[in-house]
Amino acid sequence: MAAGVIGTILSCFFFDNSFIAFLIGYIVLLFTSIHIISKVYKATIFDIDRNRVSYTLNYFFSKRKEVFLKNIKEVELEIGVLQRFFGLGTIVIHTQASSAGNKKTGLSIFDIENPHEYYELLSENISNAEK
């Protein structure tokens, strides 16, 4: 919507053709989205140690979530077509369902480099935590 407003304002002042205004609005929206996504990626920190996996986001707001390895029930490794091209992957960690019903459980570690290495490390630490 902001891109459309910017495009319309630009068309009133500089252009007679509304297609150019919408094109400029679309380009502004595209670059704004790419900028925000890159900032969120840089502000996201995942940490895996012997007892827990934690996720911290410090962008517009601060959010932290920890999952203890002893509570993990299942681990998945997902690699999409684009992720495969760039050597990335997503590790999805499932925990027991919450009794509250609407509370999110588990954690997704998205777009990490060397996903097979981290998947094996996580699986090994989980099996050690169960002992």
Side-chain angles (χ1 to χ4, degrees):
M1 184 169 155
V5 171
I6 292 170
T8 305
I9 292 170
L10 287 174
S11 70
C12 291
F13 289 112
F14 300 109
F15 306 109
D16 292 332
N17 190 349
S18 64
F19 174 75
I20 294 174
F22 286 112
L23 181 64
I24 290 172
Y26 180 77
I27 291 170
V28 168
L29 178 66
L30 179 67
F31 282 114
T32 303
S33 299
I34 291 171
H35 175 72
I36 289 173
I37 289 169
S38 69
K39 291 288 186 179
V40 169
Y41 269 92
K42 290 177 183 176
T44 304
I45 301 168
F46 291 101
D47 184 33
I48 301 173
D49 65 23
R50 292 181 178 258
N51 298 320
R52 64 181 171 76
V53 177
S54 66
Y55 158 84
T56 306
L57 174 63
N58 289 316
Y59 187 56
F60 285 125
F61 54 88
S62 183
K63 179 180 178 181
R64 182 171 171 88
K65 184 172 185 177
E66 292 183 352
V67 175
F68 290 98
L69 297 182
K70 64 183 180 179
N71 296 332
I72 295 174
K73 300 299 176 197
E74 184 179 357
V75 179
E76 291 180 63
L77 175 61
E78 298 176 351
I79 301 175
V81 175
L82 286 176
Q83 288 178 323
R84 186 178 306 244
F85 179 75
F86 290 106
L88 304 172
T90 301
I91 296 177
V92 182
I93 300 169
H94 299 281
T95 60
Q96 280 185 311
S98 171
S99 60
N102 59 3
K103 191 175 180 183
K104 279 189 169 181
T105 61
L107 186 65
S108 293
I109 304 173
F110 52 88
D111 293 341
I112 59 172
E113 295 178 353
N114 304 320
H116 294 286
E117 178 182 325
Y118 287 105
Y119 178 78
E120 293 300 324
L121 173 69
L122 189 56
S123 296
E124 181 180 312
N125 284 349
I126 291 170
S127 64
N128 289 340
E130 292 174 351
K131 293 179 183 178

